[in-house]
Amino acid sequence: MHDAIILGAGGAGLFCAATAGQAGARVLVVDHNQEPGKKILISGGGRCNFTNVGAVPDRYLSENRHFARSALSRYTPADFVALVEKHRIAYHEKTLGQLFCDGSARQIVALLMDECAAGGVDFAFGASISDVTHADGLFSVSTSAGRFTAPNLVIATGGPAIPKLGATGFAYQLGKQFGCRIIPPRPALVPFTLPQGENLFRELAGVAAEVVAKAGKTAFREAALFTHKGLSGPAMLQVSSYWRHGEAIAVDFLPDAPADWLQAAKRQRPRAGLKSVLAAALPERLAEALSAQLALPGELGAQKDAALVTAMGRLKAWAFRPDGTEGFAKAEVTAGGIDTAALSSRTMMANQIGGLFAIGEAVDVTGWLGGYNFQWAWASAHAAGQAI
Ligand code: FDA
């Protein structure tokens, strides 16, 4: 018999297994995939953005904004960086505090598997789970690879983002079985789709620009990318986590320009047209599409100041009304999940059922784009692994 069964061999499950195993627990990790860490392997464009040096709690979404604080403060980005350095994995900071492997995401999976080996962790891969029960202080997990029992059970099966990698909503099924509320899961860090009426912007597929994108009160300054279906790029992925159906997104195409920028251009370049003025600050095709939409033909010098003020107002808060997102098939992460109210923020153990834990993406804690979700996986896994 094992001391703990961990369901899911993703970042959270593996790191929890390594932590508990190295502390002396006999640990079994069960996964229906044939290999561990499939999401890690494709993460960060194959280089795994394994943490963010600025992973502070306000960069996470949750119904309880304070829940992640404890685990994040006790296992920090610097702790994971020390582990990466111990394994002699070369890395670099790309932008905005994002740390990536110089080589390959495979190195992070190897690191986790080495740490598991150091903790004597057992694995059951390719094991589909048919039933989980709890009686007399023991959890019993029936799988295609046999039946396993342990006094501790860790739900680390993630969320349903990218089903083709083996992602499922199994964590919610189990959470519900054990009386936990589930915050409705929704795709996050996901591209938007735009309705047919926005056809003009489809012509811009492939064009990217640095913008400030805003959903509700939350704004991100990063690149936005027009796609055949709508809007993507880091700025759009970031705001998608905050966006609700029916809401508009406001895009500032000229984040560095003051409100009187077009009036100043009128004085400095009165013979120039709007398109050529915009093209000085934006990609040519975008400048062309925006000036066509703004419909101020002729020279800037001939435009009334009031018309320029209105145009500038639109350029600094262009309203897009997505009709949806590309869904779980394309989402980097799932927002929502097992309600944190059911868990201890110190140990990630269920308040009502001793020995039951939930960690990683399965829980209603969702990070920004940029290494924040892995840092949550490591931190929540470490908290649970120490408590087992
Ligand atoms: P994860 O989903 O990784 O693991 C869950 C495991 O449970 C899987 O191995 C799965 O097979 C298993 N499982 C599921 N259902 C099961 C069932 N019914 N029975 C048995 N096993 C089951 N984050 C970041 O910080 N930096 C980055 O660079 C990226 N990049 C990135 C790219 C892409 C394309 C995606 C989709 C996601 C990212 N992310 C990311 C997000 C990050 O990958 C994610 O938040 C973590 O992998 C979550 O780790 P978990 O271990 O919680 O779940």
Side-chain angles (χ1 to χ4, degrees):
M1 193 172 79
H2 291 88
D3 297 312
I5 300 169
I6 298 180
L7 305 181
L14 293 175
F15 196 51
C16 182
T19 307
Q22 290 179 24
R26 287 159 303 164
V27 181
L28 170 72
V29 178
V30 177
D31 201 296
H32 62 179
N33 278 346
Q34 297 290 348
E35 56 171 334
K38 276 201 163 184
K39 273 194 190 169
I40 299 173
L41 293 175
I42 59 149
S43 68
R47 290 216 161 85
C48 187
N49 176 194
F50 54 81
T51 192
N52 191 299
V53 295
V56 291
D58 66 2
R59 291 173 179 199
Y60 292 83
L61 292 83
S62 173
E63 281 220 339
N64 177 356
R65 288 173 42 240
H66 304 293
F67 181 81
R69 189 173 297 273
S70 172
L72 288 172
S73 68
R74 284 179 297 120
Y75 192 84
T76 65
D79 291 324
F80 196 76
V81 168
L83 192 60
V84 166
E85 288 175 352
K86 180 182 131 192
H87 285 257
R88 299 182 186 283
I89 299 172
Y91 65 94
H92 61 281
E93 181 174 335
K94 198 170 168 192
T95 177
L96 302 170
Q98 302 167 4
L99 302 188
F100 285 76
C101 299
D102 289 355
S104 158
R106 290 205 170 274
Q107 294 172 288
I108 298 295
V109 177
L111 172 159
L112 293 166
M113 292 304 280
D114 284 353
E115 290 292 320
C116 282
V121 173
D122 294 327
F123 289 94
F125 287 118
S128 47
I129 302 163
S130 50
D131 192 34
V132 178
T133 56
H134 181 234
D136 303 327
L138 282 183
F139 294 92
S140 211
V141 180
S142 302
T143 78
S144 54
R147 190 160 161 268
F148 307 104
T149 52
N152 295 289
L153 181 78
V154 182
I155 304 173
T157 51
I162 320 262
K164 71 174 186 218
L165 295 176
T168 68
F170 184 62
Y172 313 143
Q173 187 186 319
L174 265 188
K176 270 190 221 155
Q177 178 186 331
F178 289 112
C180 306
R181 191 167 80 102
I182 306 300
I183 307 299
R186 56 178 211 283
L189 300 181
V190 63
F192 289 112
T193 56
L194 289 172
Q196 288 299 322
E198 300 270 13
N199 264 344
L200 178 73
F201 287 94
R202 291 215 168 86
E203 291 163 19
L204 290 172
V207 172
E210 187 175 328
V211 303
V212 172
K214 195 170 175 193
K217 290 188 180 132
T218 312
F220 291 90
R221 181 173 178 155
E222 286 193 62
L225 171 72
F226 291 94
T227 71
H228 289 286
K229 292 183 177 164
L231 297 164
S232 187
M236 295 300 162
L237 299 183
Q238 296 281 33
V239 292
S240 74
S241 300
Y242 291 86
W243 177 79
R244 298 295 163 141
H245 273 270
E247 284 179 6
I249 299 160
V251 175
D252 182 350
F253 283 113
L254 296 168
D256 291 320
D260 63 352
W261 189 74
L262 281 181
Q263 288 147 281
K266 174 181 163 180
R267 285 194 299 277
Q268 285 154 15
R269 300 175 60 195
R271 308 289 301 273
L274 179 61
K275 183 186 136 190
S276 68
V277 167
L278 289 179
L282 295 169
E284 179 97 22
R285 279 167 65 199
L286 180 56
E288 194 172 341
L290 290 173
S291 58
Q293 292 261 314
L294 291 168
L296 290 177
E299 297 173 353
L300 224 50
Q303 308 297 335
K304 291 203 168 83
D305 274 4
L308 295 180
V309 169
T310 305
M312 197 59 189
R314 284 190 69 194
L315 288 165
K316 290 200 72 70
W318 201 280
F320 288 97
R321 280 200 180 275
D323 56 3
T325 70
E326 292 194 35
F328 284 118
K330 291 285 161 67
E332 270 201 19
V333 77
T334 308
I338 294 175
D339 188 358
T340 59
L343 307 172
S344 153
S345 63
R346 257 200 90 68
T347 62
M348 310 303 294
M349 190 163 78
N351 301 320
Q352 301 299 330
I353 301 185
L356 178 70
F357 297 80
I359 58 173
E361 196 175 318
V363 178
D364 172 37
V365 173
T366 307
W368 285 3
L369 184 77
Y372 295 96
N373 285 297
F374 279 134
Q375 187 58 36
W376 169 245
W378 317 137
S380 57
H382 193 258
Q386 281 191 317
I388 285 169

